[in-house]
Every structure is written in structure tokens, then in C-alpha cells.
Amino acid sequence: SFELTQPPSVSVSPGQTASITCSGDKLGNTYASWYQQKPGQSPVLVIYRDSKRPSGIPERFSGSNSGNTATLTISGTQAMDEADYYCQAWDIIVVFGGGTKLTVL
Amino acid sequence: QVTLRESDPALVKPTQTLTLTCTFSGFSLSTREMCVSWIRQPPGKALEWLALIDWDGDKYYSTSLRTRLTISKDTSKNQVVLTMTNMDPVDTATYYCARGSRDGYNFWFDPWGQGTRVTVSS
């Protein structure tokens, strides 16, 4: 079955660039989406169709997808970006990655 | 403004059937390329996709849970209903519904409801 693999945790200093990866077999052949979830809150879509930002999502959030890896990049990371991030794609069914906890130190 | 709201929290006993209702506003599930999905999250764990129904009635289910799940819609009431049979304590989780958009067989979900807590215990 299709699986999406994310690193359990990523740490970044404020103002630096954070990269969160999502790996899956031939993931680049489909679209990847990314969700941000803060403690006690519902997930929020931050990237869809690999690299598109929904209205209201800051420009510092960007995405790419090629080969077997999709990447969420947060430029100029802020303390408010500390959250869990999940990738999601489609392979005959919807699949979510296991999530990555982003810590802004 | 698009909003989705799940039915109230539930306490169910093992082997019982869970029924959840998602009531939404701000969009129509009869609009092409629209869909509604259910996703759950056990305490402290990752998101798990459950089921999806789209604008023309096509239904998709989690491979591992498909024998226990049924999703349906009432377009006139702006509601989507999920039933899950044979509940077990491992099904304890927060259950979310979310509006989905699609591009071919690619889906993404925005926005999500606030979630509803389901506890399975005798």
C-alpha cells in the first residue's frame, strides 16, 4: 500500500529556513498537499497542488514535489510556525503522512 | 464563508455502531468537484483518512476500514453522514469532517470542522 514517510521532528532557529520532507513511491506523479496543526486546533491547509498557497497563508510557506519527495519549506520561520505538519496525497485512496513536529528554538 | 460542524461528542460501547453527522454551509455538495471527507486523529497520534463522498455520489474508503464504514450525503440538508460499525477502544479519536476539492484524482481539504471527540469504552 502507498505510504508517505515524514521525519518525526525538525528543529529550526527563528528567522532561518525550515524544510520538511515527505517521501513516497513516485510521489512526484501526483499532487501533494500540506497541513499545519497547532495543539488543540484543527488542521489548516497551507499548500495544495504541490506549491499553491490558499488565501491567507503567508508567502514564507512554499512547496515542491519531484521524484519520490515532496518538500514544505518555511522561509524566515517564526515562533508562530511551531506546529505539527502533515503531508497528504492520493493513490487510489487519500493518504496522510505520519506528521512532523516543527520546533522553533 | 465555508463552515463545517461535526455532531456532538459521543461515548459508545465496544461492538456498537457510531453515527456521525457533518453539517456544512457556504458551499453545495452538488457543485462539480466538491466533496466532503472524514478524517480521524487518535489522542497524540497522526491523522488517518477514513472516507470521502463527492459531488456526483462517488464514495471512497480507507482500505483498512472499508468493511466497517459507510458514507452518505443529504444534499438538501447540507449533511454528510458517516457510520462505523463494530466500534473498538482503538477507535477512540477526534473525528473531523472537511470540505474537499479535487483535480482529477487529486484531493485537498479546506477547511476542516472543529472535530468531535469519540470515546469507545464499556
Side-chain angles (χ1 to χ4, degrees):
Chain A
S1 63
F2 187 67
E3 294 183 356
L4 296 175
T5 301
Q6 300 180 233
S9 62
V10 169
S11 298
V12 64
S13 299
Q16 298 304 301
T17 297
S19 295
I20 300 173
T21 58
C22 174
S23 299
D25 186 39
K26 300 178 182 176
L27 180 56
N29 289 350
T30 187
Y31 282 133
S33 300
W34 291 90
Y35 302 85
Q36 176 194 69
Q37 186 180 33
K38 296 181 179 180
Q41 297 184 18
S42 302
V44 173
L45 179 72
V46 295
I47 293 289
Y48 67 102
R49 282 184 181 172
D50 293 341
S51 59
K52 296 190 178 297
R53 277 180 293 104
S55 174
I57 300 302
E59 291 185 7
R60 64 180 181 274
F61 288 87
S62 63
S64 63
N65 184 16
S66 180
N68 295 323
T69 304
T71 303
L72 173 68
T73 303
I74 309 172
S75 304
T77 306
Q78 300 182 10
M80 68 172 64
D81 300 328
E82 187 163 287
D84 293 328
Y85 291 85
Y86 294 90
C87 60
Q88 172 254 311
W90 167 269
D91 179 63
I92 71 172
I93 58 169
V94 174
V95 180
F96 283 94
T100 298
K101 182 176 181 59
L102 178 67
T103 301
V104 182
L105 299 171
Chain B
Q1 180 188 9
V2 174
T3 63
L4 303 99
R5 178 173 52 86
E6 301 86 356
S7 43
D8 289 340
L11 172 63
V12 299
K13 292 178 170 24
T15 76
Q16 287 186 335
T17 294
L18 172 70
T19 299
L20 294 174
T21 300
C22 176
T23 303
F24 57 87
S25 64
F27 70 100
S28 172
L29 199 43
S30 60
T31 300
R32 189 176 178 86
E33 309 299 5
M34 284 287 111
C35 63
V36 171
S37 192
W38 285 95
I39 302 107
R40 72 179 179 180
Q41 186 172 37
K45 296 189 176 181
L47 301 172
E48 179 183 17
W49 178 75
L50 299 176
L52 178 153
I53 187 165
D54 71 8
W55 63 281
D56 64 354
D58 286 343
K59 304 171 186 179
Y60 304 89
Y61 294 102
S62 161
T63 302
S64 60
L65 294 169
R66 62 169 46 249
T67 61
R68 299 173 53 204
L69 296 173
T70 302
I71 192 169
S72 62
K73 62 173 178 153
D74 186 330
T75 303
S76 64
K77 292 183 179 179
N78 282 350
Q79 290 182 332
V80 170
V81 175
L82 181 76
T83 61
M84 179 180 291
T85 61
N86 195 24
M87 294 292 286
D88 183 272
V90 299
D91 297 314
T92 294
T94 296
Y95 287 71
Y96 298 97
C97 63
R99 182 187 69 166
S101 299
R102 66 181 297 176
D103 175 3
Y105 283 105
N106 292 285
F107 296 86
W108 56 93
F109 305 107
D110 177 53
W112 296 49
Q114 65 184 15
T116 188
R117 185 72 61 90
V118 173
T119 303
V120 185
S121 175
S122 54

